[in-house]
Amino acid sequence: MAGAGYQLGDDAAVTLLETTDIGGTNAATGWVSMAEFERVIGYVEIGTWNATDDLDECRLEQATDADGTGAKDLTTDASGGNYDTDNPVDADGDFVILQAKASDLDVAGGFTHVRLYVAESGNTGVDNVTAFLVRYGARSKHAQKNGAAVTGSKVYVTP
């Protein structure tokens, strides 16, 4: 389930993974380009969660385009990995923060896009997660990157 994307001012953009039950399955944000951004941060928070389940997979992935071509891990989720599956998050309110720089991507291999991926392999009840990706450090600062302001539809607020 890919979420919507939003521009935050002229320096950052956010992609949302709306609250979803991943019990026995997985979910991910859409693939987003890092071409115009220096960094990305992902945030995953567990909501209603079955106490016998764990967040089994939680990682940033990279690909060569917005279709996910050649997808591979940017961060790891394994025993002793970046997200250590020996000590997984597993309760309402637990969270994971994942960070990377554009330079961490396999740029020599043509990797330009990232997404956030989560999974829970068991399914003993409801296992809700909410997550988002924020790309920031925009190389080119532009107002209203998400589209021109439209009253009641696309609203940008500044003091």
Side-chain angles (χ1 to χ4, degrees), residues 50-138:
N50 187 288
T52 62
D53 293 336
D54 298 322
L55 183 61
D56 297 318
E57 299 177 57
C58 183
R59 64 181 171 265
L60 293 174
E61 296 178 323
Q62 58 184 323
T64 59
D65 59 32
D67 293 326
T69 303
K72 66 180 185 177
D73 294 349
L74 179 58
T75 63
T76 61
D77 50 18
S79 176
N82 302 129
Y83 173 71
D84 187 357
T85 56
D86 289 338
N87 299 290
V89 298
D90 60 2
D92 187 356
D94 285 357
F95 63 87
V96 179
I97 296 175
L98 308 100
Q99 299 180 55
K101 297 181 237 173
S103 60
D104 293 329
L105 275 71
D106 178 6
V107 292
F111 287 79
T112 56
H113 287 67
V114 298
R115 77 172 181 177
L116 178 64
Y117 177 90
V118 292
E120 195 289 305
S121 60
N123 191 17
T124 55
V126 174
D127 296 313
N128 285 339
V129 296
T130 303
F132 60 84
L133 274 178
V134 177
R135 294 170 292 153
Y136 61 100

Side-chain angles (χ1 to χ4, degrees), residues 21-57:
D21 181 1
I22 62 167
T25 189
N26 60 64
T29 63
W31 292 101
V32 294
S33 174
M34 289 296 294
E36 291 295 318
F37 296 92
E38 295 174 5
R39 297 179 177 267
V40 64
I41 185 168
Y43 180 85
V44 178
E45 185 168 322
I46 291 178
T48 302
W49 196 264
N50 187 288
T52 62
D53 293 336
D54 298 322
L55 183 61
D56 297 318
E57 299 177 57

